[in-house]
Amino acid sequence: MLDITALLRPRFLLAVALSLVLGTTAYGFAAANTIPTSGAGDGSATISGYTISSVTYALDSTDPSLLDSVSFNITPTGSNPQPVTVKIQLVTDGTWYTATAGSGTTWSVDLASANVTAASVNNLRVVAAQ
């Protein structure tokens, strides 16, 4: 049977009060955390941070079985900032290539020395972050 007098002892009441104060304080600190707007994302479905468009593959002029470059536009959606770092992958589980910012929202990857064959390309995976 529950002894009510044990629940009313000062030591027990002090422990309950201390737990409530600590719990409320921790909740207040967690609620005050703010996370800056970010457009980072990765995946094969729609990523809400950026829109990738105007993808262009340029073939090597000497050997058209090789890719010379890939260019594309990255447009931030909503209030997301412009990306600072952009990497692409052209073959599933393959090499990651660093993209270089051009004018406006245009990014490109120089593949002249990478020897990437057009036949080996099976996806375009773009990862962008601030």
Side-chain angles (χ1 to χ4, degrees), residues 67-92:
L67 289 181
D68 190 50
S69 66
V70 176
S71 63
F72 48 91
N73 289 338
I74 299 180
T75 307
T77 57
S79 62
N80 291 322
Q82 288 287 342
V84 175
T85 303
V86 176
K87 298 202 178 237
I88 70 165
Q89 188 179 54
L90 298 168
V91 177
T92 303

Side-chain angles (χ1 to χ4, degrees), residues 20-67:
L20 288 173
V21 168
L22 291 175
T24 303
T25 303
Y27 176 79
F29 280 121
N33 289 341
T34 57
I35 299 172
T37 301
S38 171
D42 180 27
S44 59
T46 301
I47 302 296
S48 61
Y50 299 103
T51 299
I52 309 298
S53 62
S54 302
V55 178
T56 304
Y57 299 89
L59 300 177
D60 184 84
S61 60
T62 307
D63 183 354
S65 70
L66 298 175
L67 289 181

Side-chain angles (χ1 to χ4, degrees), residues 108-122:
S108 63
V109 178
D110 181 8
L111 298 168
S113 62
N115 291 323
V116 177
T117 63
S120 69
V121 175
N122 62 3

